[in-house]
Amino acid sequence: MNLLEAVRLVAARELKVKLRDKTFLFSTLFFLLFAFGSSVLPALFAGGPSSVAVAQSSPYEGKLRGAGLNVKVVADPEKTVRDGDADAAVVAKGDSAEVLAMKDAPNDVVSALSVAPEVHLLDPDAVDPLAAFLVPFMFALVFFFTSLTFGIQIAQSVVEEKQTRMVEILVAAVPVRALLVGKVAAGGILALAQVALIAVVSIVGSQFSDDAGTLLPLLAPAMSWFIPFFVLGFIMLAALWAAVGALVNRLEDVSSVGMPVQLLVMLPFFLVIFLGDNPAAMRILSYVPFSAPTAMPVRLFDGSAAAWEPFASLVILAAAAAGALLAGARIYEGSLLRTNGRTSWATAWRDRELRSI
């Protein structure tokens, strides 16, 4: 059996086990419902247009209907408002209009009757401030939670195989490196599939929003670049998490031994969030392998990245992922069959070196 066939068998086994895991299925369903709710609920709770009462033959009826308001033609507009059957009423007062409301006049009614001045946009392609905050936050959040969640699951899977002695059977059947690459490949497939489902659900839910037509075209380039950055970033971190699992023999030790890897995931998340409005810092972060999967798509979204920059950043990230995969494989091979307690990073590295001599 060659290495490629062994990797395929290990990945297929990992996928079958994971797809039968109820915890994984319920967590995926939860994320999908959260993504859909986050997209739909704001639009639903925003409420519809105000209802406004006008008298018969009112000169303002056409203007109010043209603004999309719910116009009610009644005999007594003021009584309609007092009875709670309309949010506001518009009546003629001399040559102008008067808005009647119980407490606060709805802004959409006032806007419909106002004469808007001519507006000339100096920067029509500028990103909305709210979107400028939410998009970086969502990119960082998706990569942070996905890489951390699936990475820890990979480490726990390795520990469980060591505890049950299953790893000895697996090593006898396939090369040790095939186990590592197969686990990383299966985790990457599941993580990417989960992110894709969340993206689809979010896009469908965003259609209920009035800003969908303007935001989605701006997001498309950043989302298309996010996929290769996400895949390479996940491979880089997943290889390290697999090494963490090989270093320990108890599930309780995964968190403590994996603390350096957790910091490599957490620090870029907070840096992108808090330094998102700093162009110089974001430029640097978009070339650092552990922050590039979120920083570069954000720069592509706000238009601050040159056309060549994502390619350069992707090459650096690919090199870092390859290095992490080789280093993780060395640690993995040097500690996987050790069952006499926790193994240090240095010991696992030296053990693999001695075995290769």
Side-chain angles (χ1 to χ4, degrees), residues 22-33:
K22 292 182 179 180
T23 303
F24 170 75
L25 296 177
F26 280 122
S27 65
T28 301
L29 180 61
F30 170 78
F31 281 124
L32 293 178
L33 291 176

Side-chain angles (χ1 to χ4, degrees), residues 224-291:
S224 61
W225 273 106
F226 180 67
I227 295 173
F229 274 97
F230 174 86
V231 171
L232 291 175
F234 182 87
I235 291 173
M236 176 178 60
L237 293 169
L240 299 179
W241 276 114
V244 168
L247 290 172
V248 300
N249 293 310
R250 301 187 309 163
L251 291 174
E252 296 83 358
D253 295 332
V254 171
S255 297
S256 58
V257 175
M259 184 58 65
V261 184
Q262 291 186 50
L263 292 176
L264 291 176
V265 178
M266 295 174 62
L267 288 177
F269 169 74
F270 290 109
L271 287 174
V272 171
I273 294 300
F274 292 115
L275 300 178
D277 57 350
N278 188 322
M282 289 297 290
R283 186 177 298 109
I284 295 173
L285 290 173
S286 63
Y287 288 100
V288 176
F290 295 101
S291 56

